[in-house]
Amino acid sequence: MGRFSRYMFRRPGLFVLGVLSVLFAGVLVNATVFGYLEAVRLREHWRERFTIRAIFREDVNRESMERIREEVARYPLVEQATLVLPEEAKARFLERLGLSEEAVAGISFPASLEVVPRHIEDLPEIAATLRAEEAFAEVFCGGKEVEGFLRLFRLLLGSLGGFLLGVLGFGVFVIVVTTALAVQLRGREIEVLSLVGAPSAFSLAPFLLEGLFGGLLGSVGAYLLSLAFFVPFFRLVSEAFPGFLWVNVEELLVVFFPLDLGVGCGMGVLGVLLGHWRARRRSP
Amino acid sequence: MAFLEFRGVSKVYPPGIRALEKVTFAVEKGEFVFLQGPTGAGKTTLFRLITQEERPTEGEIWFSGRRIDTLDPRFVPFLRQHLGVVFQDLEIVPDWTVYEHLVAPLVVLGVNGKEARKAAWNVLRLLGLEKKSTFRARWLSGGEKQKLCVGRALVHRPKLVLADEPTGNLDAASALEVLNLLWNLSRNDCVTVIVATHNEALLERFPARAILLEQGRIRGERF
């Protein structure tokens, strides 16, 4: 252990740089994860609003409707499929508009199937499958507003994913550079150790431990910073916007802890392995 | 089979510089041998072939009953753990202390802390460097650095000691002291020692075999 700590504190600047890059990446990862969880929560909320309505043709009998409902309910993308019979459709219509039965005398209300998707982005695919079914006269899935919303949602998730990858890549890059620099600065030490019979794993070990330690320190720092930000933030916004669907802060912090540790230690070890490999490859 | 044996070993560096040419000799266990020759004769190259820092262009090298010139690179560290080398360019780390240099080969071998400390202090006393154990190598004089390098080569009790111009930076008295140390090691502990030198005056003082190397070829031997 003495060997490791001695190496670390001889190049404290590089070590601190590595820790800061993990901390910075950890905070950004936490912010991204918060954004993602919030988006998923809103998606769950909106999912019920985005229901596909498939109108049965008039010649389809009740048994066929039941059979089709069961088949549709078995689709992997479908969360729920409900059969709405003409009587129920009529009752809903009257209730919604506040009309009496006489006002709609002579108007027929066709039976329909209401389909709730597992994920709202699957809406167009389910609608296309239903349109291929001959039993339906028409399939409604929200029109242009829904398509616009879905595009926006896909863009949001894609950007979050890209941002997350970028942040992780940047963090690993900083550690690779600092490790390669440290290996080159310690090239003499590594060379001498190699000449007295140290296998390459022996010279790699202090760097690995340093990466792991730096990653651990950075991730704990990122967690504490997130804690310091999110707890007062949620207190404030839940008071200001009580009706909004906020992610539960306790759950969020439980997710952050293992995530930060994993990301920090992973970045530290991966960065050291790549940096060590790069520095050794470049040395004569 | 001899303890160390070179069989027709040649080494050609790109772009065709012949450092060694058909070198053949054998050294027995516990033997003390001088490798004598002028600068550029190929003494350092010969040592680098033993430590596997270089591979021969042709020929075979045998050490302790094993052929080492074709050794898998993964096993080279284990070969080096049996060697004690005093490098001509010293190979020391300026930031390390004297004590850290002496302990390094023992740490690599996995010797426990107490034994490592004891062995390092024995060598420090032997070389008269005990008062400088905490000094960084960069603060030492040329002669002290050379002594440190000798100490590092002996501290782990290797089977074979290769000393490349070990007295180059030393005054006459210190040079004799270091060579006496290596001589006694060979006599008392049966360690094989090969000393490369161009200092003929030193050769006269030790009744040892000398291999004469010139322009990469063995020109003869002297007893």
Side-chain angles (χ1 to χ4, degrees), chain B residues 110-146:
Chain B
V111 176
N112 74 49
K114 198 177 167 186
E115 278 180 40
R117 263 195 303 278
K118 197 174 154 193
W121 275 101
N122 281 341
V123 170
L124 282 168
R125 272 190 288 272
L126 205 63
L127 297 170
L129 288 174
E130 63 265 50
K131 283 184 183 163
K132 299 199 168 172
S133 65
T134 55
F135 278 39
R136 297 225 183 278
R138 71 159 83 94
W139 303 339
L140 300 177
S141 69
E144 285 168 335
K145 283 179 188 166
Q146 189 108 44

Side-chain angles (χ1 to χ4, degrees), chain B residues 63-123:
Chain B
F63 171 65
S64 196
R66 288 191 187 150
R67 189 171 170 185
I68 58 167
D69 58 285
T70 51
L71 197 64
D72 187 314
R74 283 176 301 161
F75 299 118
V76 169
F78 302 105
L79 164 75
R80 290 180 184 167
Q81 287 170 10
H82 293 295
L83 308 176
V85 187
V86 183
F87 299 94
Q88 191 175 28
D89 48 4
L90 302 181
E91 299 287 359
I92 55 175
V93 184
D95 277 349
W96 283 6
T97 64
V98 169
Y99 178 78
E100 282 170 347
H101 276 90
L102 293 179
V103 159
L106 300 165
V107 173
V108 168
L109 280 171
V111 176
N112 74 49
K114 198 177 167 186
E115 278 180 40
R117 263 195 303 278
K118 197 174 154 193
W121 275 101
N122 281 341
V123 170

Side-chain angles (χ1 to χ4, degrees), chain B residues 156-181:
Chain B
H156 58 300
R157 301 192 161 273
K159 288 181 181 174
L160 171 64
V161 174
L162 305 170
D164 195 359
E165 304 283 4
T167 58
N169 293 313
L170 300 176
D171 56 66
S174 297
L176 201 59
E177 191 187 331
V178 164
L179 274 184
N180 266 323
L181 187 71

